[in-house]
Amino acid sequence: MADAITDLEMNAEAATGPSLSYWQLVRKRFRGNRYGMAGLIMSILIIITAVFAGFIAPYAVDTKDRATIYSPPQTIRIFDEDGSLRAPFVAGFEEVMDPITFEITFAPSYDKTTPISLFVQGPEYTFLGMEFTTHLFGAADGSFVHLLGTDGLGRDVFSRMIYGARITLLMGFMVMGLACVIGTIVGVTSGYFGGRTDTVIQRVIEFVKSFPDLPLYLALVAVLPRNIDPITSFIMFALIIVLLQWANLARELRGKVIAIRSVEFVRAAVAVGAKDNRIITRHIIPNMSSHIIVWATYVLPEVILLESFLSFLGVGIQQPLVSWGVMLNAVRDFQSLASAPWLLAPVGMIILSVLAFNALGDGMRDAMDPYAND
């Protein structure tokens, strides 16, 4: 009889496959979500771009090409003027004036071309405390190549945009991490202990959430001293954003903790005399990890948009630090936008990053839903 039961169990397992843990099911569901996988791949590429910005960007953020102020983007070409195939290169520009409107435009000039090479030597940059001079691409002869044009000071827009990804993403991940830690601690404390502790914490959260976000951000940033160094200003700006971001997570987790603390395994742990710290760290928080992860993937693009918007207004990250919002600050007037529309290139990176992290968040949400179909 025992052998028959064992054979039935083995046949059932062979038919349905081995049982999977929760996180194995999450990985399986996520791999089957094309939208989420696309977001994951794009998010990884954006993060890699930020980490290896010194290698990918051909020039430093403050490198100036005085001869090409407000120069338009240079397209990489493989066909010469006569249609013959050649190695990748960029063509120069010549200024053309409209005889009626006197508007100056730029036309490609094949009189002076610059070959494009991979792994060229350029300005020094630091990575992990070591100095390097090798860049992904550039001109082997040391001349300038501006794939996205230059700004009003002759600085390469592409290089500044790549370096800007580092500051913008650093701000996003810093705010996301601090908000997750604070929101988790406050939310779990409020929901688990209840009573007067819960009442006090909830009143504090209601007080924080009673202020309109944008005016409060502007007011807090306005009181920051302008004579502090950029790094201190960056940290204080991040803390200001954290100030209002943690409250949403704390309130959401409080409700989940109230539901989890009444389930059988938590009540059993209390019955056998387990300490509060053990119950919280071994039973409460692990059962809310999926919600925290999904919340983090959604708050990251929100912080990217907020930082870019405030820096665009001139009240966020300050120069000489470069972020996507700081770059957009240079095109606030219509004259600059009309004469150099390529300065809006960081908008494309902002949109791409927000879409990528939102797609990742949607995929994580669907994968971690216990009621989702396999």
Side-chain angles (χ1 to χ4, degrees), residues 175-254:
V175 171
M176 179 191 70
L178 290 176
C180 280
V181 172
I182 298 174
T184 300
I185 294 175
V186 174
V188 171
T189 302
S190 177
Y192 182 78
F193 293 102
R196 183 174 297 177
T197 302
D198 181 37
T199 301
V200 173
I201 291 177
Q202 291 307 307
R203 300 296 80 75
V204 173
I205 293 178
E206 290 173 0
F207 176 77
V208 172
K209 295 299 296 178
S210 64
F211 293 97
D213 291 351
L214 184 57
L216 183 59
Y217 284 132
L218 296 177
L220 293 176
V221 171
V223 301
L224 291 179
R226 294 301 178 183
N227 56 350
I228 59 177
D229 62 278
I231 302 300
T232 304
S233 176
F234 175 85
I235 296 175
M236 296 181 68
F237 179 52
L239 294 178
I240 290 173
I241 300 179
V242 172
L243 182 64
L244 294 180
Q245 290 293 332
W246 65 268
N248 291 328
L249 179 62
R251 173 153 290 183
E252 294 172 9
L253 294 185
R254 179 239 184 196

Side-chain angles (χ1 to χ4, degrees), residues 98-172:
D98 190 309
I100 300 177
T101 63
F102 300 102
E103 180 182 1
I104 297 178
T105 58
F106 295 89
S109 175
Y110 289 87
D111 296 336
K112 182 181 180 181
T113 60
T114 303
I116 301 295
S117 303
L118 296 176
F119 307 109
V120 299
Q121 301 301 310
E124 291 186 358
Y125 60 92
T126 303
F127 182 73
L128 298 178
M130 298 178 289
E131 294 185 352
F132 299 90
T133 58
T134 303
H135 295 261
L136 178 61
F137 71 95
D141 58 0
S143 57
F144 287 96
V145 175
H146 305 297
L147 297 184
L148 293 178
T150 61
D151 61 8
L153 297 177
R155 297 172 298 189
D156 184 57
V157 174
F158 177 80
S159 299
R160 289 173 60 82
M161 186 177 67
I162 297 299
Y163 275 103
R166 177 179 293 180
I167 300 298
T168 299
L169 292 185
L170 179 61
M171 172 67 72

